Amino acid sequence: MTEAVPRPRIGVGVVGTGFAARAHLDALRRLPEVEIVAIAGGDAARTRALAADHGARAYPSHLELLADPAVQAVHTCTVNRRHFEVNRSALEHGRHVLSEKPLALTSEESTELVATAARARERGLVSGVCFNYRHYPMVAQIREMLRGGEHGAAHYVHGEYLQDWLLLQTDWNWRIDPGEGGPSRAVADIGSHWADLVQHVTGDVITEVFADLATLHRTRLRPARAGETFAAGDGAGQPVAVQSEDHGAVLVRFAGGARGAFTLSQTSAGRKNGLRIQVDAADAALAWEQERPERVWVGRRSGPNLELVRDPASLHPRAARLARLPAGHPEGWSDALRNLIADFHAAVAAREAGAAPDGDVATFADGHARVAFVEAVMASHREQRWTAVGAGRTVPA
């Protein structure tokens, strides 16, 4: 009997050394089909140390990493302002690309990246954007329940995304600097996740928004050396004017006629990563909370409410495939990210084998749509009126 020849592992290069990069590296180490071969970062000592931890080569820039012939796929995990440059360069150098969100800082940039990805796809390259909340098993379960039509059409979609890591005036992160993070903070950082998630599970598209945003701290104390994402400030630093939003509320309208609303905040004490969605349909409501990810709440008008618990044996096959552990063995955020990255590299392998990818990784077109959503929310807040997503114009109420 002839033994199967193992497929060569995909060589991966990670650009960035912060929270997102380390999360990607941890997930990549859990995938036997990939090999971490290179890491690029601006801080030489930090990059060398991280590369040594993963048995990889260290490079001072993404261009030098792209010159390494062993790098077949690139994970873009830098500060927001560099996403456009790194993503475009990687595709032009013939590499598969998985980008952290946002895809780019402006819709003009993301439009160009969508076109670049389309040309790259003709050469067999795969591209995707990291909207990792799609990849929880119970999120997939809600999506399949809604797609199956067993509860009727959605008419109201609502929820929240609340955090507290920027509550204090002394809290600081590079996202507060518009030169690094872009003109929007809370909406771009967490509101885009909520918007992507509800559109993914409903299969519907947000077409119009009405936003009211606020900034709790008009000045913050910027430390001499910025800390890690989610790290508390040290109480010292120079006062810096803040231009981006800390919290707010957004009304949304969907193409299919449903209405929606959500609140978002990075200044809500006690809320660490409080992402929640609820879809109200004809005969049931389906709700999911990221901090209780193993459960879906099913609200009913007639009869008792239900709670579905993650159990691969009872989930829809599209949801069960994302469950890596048996029921009763909790899975969470890092597992969802691992699912996303596994889906992406399965798509790479499928494309290289001439097959069609089968996964739910957000495309560059999805990433562009989320950039347009953020721009519409910011424009709506400035003008205090309904604003069309991606149309660059206001819409009468």
Side-chain angles (χ1 to χ4, degrees), residues 148-169:
E150 59 192 274
H151 297 298
H155 59 267
Y156 190 51
V157 182
H158 51 104
E160 61 193 24
Y161 200 155
L162 307 177
Q163 299 176 328
D164 71 355
W165 69 292
L166 293 173
L167 172 62
L168 306 179
Q169 188 180 28

Side-chain angles (χ1 to χ4, degrees), residues 167-250:
L167 172 62
L168 306 179
Q169 188 180 28
T170 53
D171 292 329
W172 183 268
N173 181 260
W174 58 261
R175 291 171 177 82
I176 298 169
D177 180 352
E180 297 289 283
S184 170
R185 177 166 33 96
V187 176
D189 193 26
I190 57 178
S192 61
H193 271 302
W194 189 92
D196 180 78
L197 191 58
V198 297
Q199 291 176 96
H200 177 67
V201 300
T202 63
D204 208 345
V205 177
I206 295 174
T207 57
E208 303 165 30
V209 297
F210 196 119
D212 184 30
L213 310 175
T215 303
L216 177 63
H217 298 298
R218 289 294 177 181
T219 61
R220 287 180 180 268
L221 300 181
R222 181 172 189 162
R225 182 176 177 82
E228 295 287 342
T229 300
F230 302 119
D234 60 9
Q238 294 296 318
V240 176
V242 175
Q243 302 174 35
S244 55
E245 72 285 355
D246 290 323
H247 57 277
V250 184

Side-chain angles (χ1 to χ4, degrees), residues 9-341:
R9 295 195 291 173
I10 299 168
V12 177
V14 175
V15 183
T17 60
F19 171 81
R22 292 196 304 276
H24 278 242
L25 288 165
D26 178 69
L28 286 164
R29 291 183 71 163
R30 298 165 65 187
L31 301 179
E33 63 268 30
V34 305
E35 179 183 3
I36 303 165
V37 298
I39 299 172
D43 184 318
R46 179 171 175 157
T47 305
R48 285 195 301 269
L50 192 59
D53 287 343
H54 294 277
R57 292 178 285 280
Y59 293 105
S61 75
H62 71 284
L63 291 176
E64 289 173 89
L65 178 144
L66 290 171
D68 187 331
V71 175
Q72 299 167 269
V74 170
H75 288 228
T76 303
C77 302
T78 65
V79 296
N80 294 352
R81 70 171 172 83
R82 299 196 59 219
H83 289 183
F84 171 71
E85 172 192 6
V86 175
N87 291 335
R88 183 177 62 180
S89 295
L91 288 171
E92 290 176 344
H93 279 77
R95 302 319 201 266
H96 307 285
V97 178
L98 180 61
S99 174
E100 269 297 334
K101 59 89 193 158
L103 178 60
L105 287 186
T106 69
S107 57
E108 289 78 15
E109 289 180 344
S110 59
T111 296
E112 181 176 338
L113 286 176
V114 170
T116 303
R119 293 191 297 270
R121 190 162 52 248
E122 295 175 357
R123 293 181 284 133
L125 297 178
V126 176
S127 56
V129 183
C130 291
F131 284 102
N132 54 299
Y133 297 111
R134 294 180 173 206
H135 299 267
Y136 281 86
M138 300 312 287
V139 167
Q141 180 68 19
I142 291 177
R143 175 176 163 87
E144 295 306 321
M145 291 170 72
L146 291 171
R147 289 176 70 179
E150 59 192 274
H151 297 298
H155 59 267
Y156 190 51
V157 182
H158 51 104
E160 61 193 24
Y161 200 155
L162 307 177
Q163 299 176 328
D164 71 355
W165 69 292
L166 293 173
L167 172 62
L168 306 179
Q169 188 180 28
T170 53
D171 292 329
W172 183 268
N173 181 260
W174 58 261
R175 291 171 177 82
I176 298 169
D177 180 352
E180 297 289 283
S184 170
R185 177 166 33 96
V187 176
D189 193 26
I190 57 178
S192 61
H193 271 302
W194 189 92
D196 180 78
L197 191 58
V198 297
Q199 291 176 96
H200 177 67
V201 300
T202 63
D204 208 345
V205 177
I206 295 174
T207 57
E208 303 165 30
V209 297
F210 196 119
D212 184 30
L213 310 175
T215 303
L216 177 63
H217 298 298
R218 289 294 177 181
T219 61
R220 287 180 180 268
L221 300 181
R222 181 172 189 162
R225 182 176 177 82
E228 295 287 342
T229 300
F230 302 119
D234 60 9
Q238 294 296 318
V240 176
V242 175
Q243 302 174 35
S244 55
E245 72 285 355
D246 290 323
H247 57 277
V250 184
L251 300 175
V252 299
R253 292 172 176 168
F254 290 83
R259 296 298 194 263
F262 73 101
T263 55
L264 69 158
S265 172
Q266 294 178 317
T267 54
S268 293
R271 298 296 184 182
K272 304 305 179 184
N273 200 40
L275 170 59
R276 183 184 66 83
I277 62 169
Q278 180 166 321
V279 180
D280 296 341
D283 74 347
L286 306 176
W288 178 80
E289 299 177 43
Q290 194 280 148
E291 292 183 341
R292 300 180 71 244
E294 300 270 278
R295 291 166 168 76
V296 169
W297 178 83
V298 182
R300 301 195 298 174
R301 167 71 182 270
S302 302
N305 295 335
L306 305 175
E307 189 172 65
L308 306 181
V309 180
R310 184 190 62 82
D311 181 352
S314 62
L315 297 181
H316 187 280
R318 293 288 298 179
R321 76 182 185 89
L322 299 175
R324 306 292 174 176
L325 297 174
H329 298 71
E331 296 179 351
W333 189 91
S334 61
D335 300 291
L337 180 63
R338 181 245 186 247
N339 287 339
L340 184 161
I341 292 174

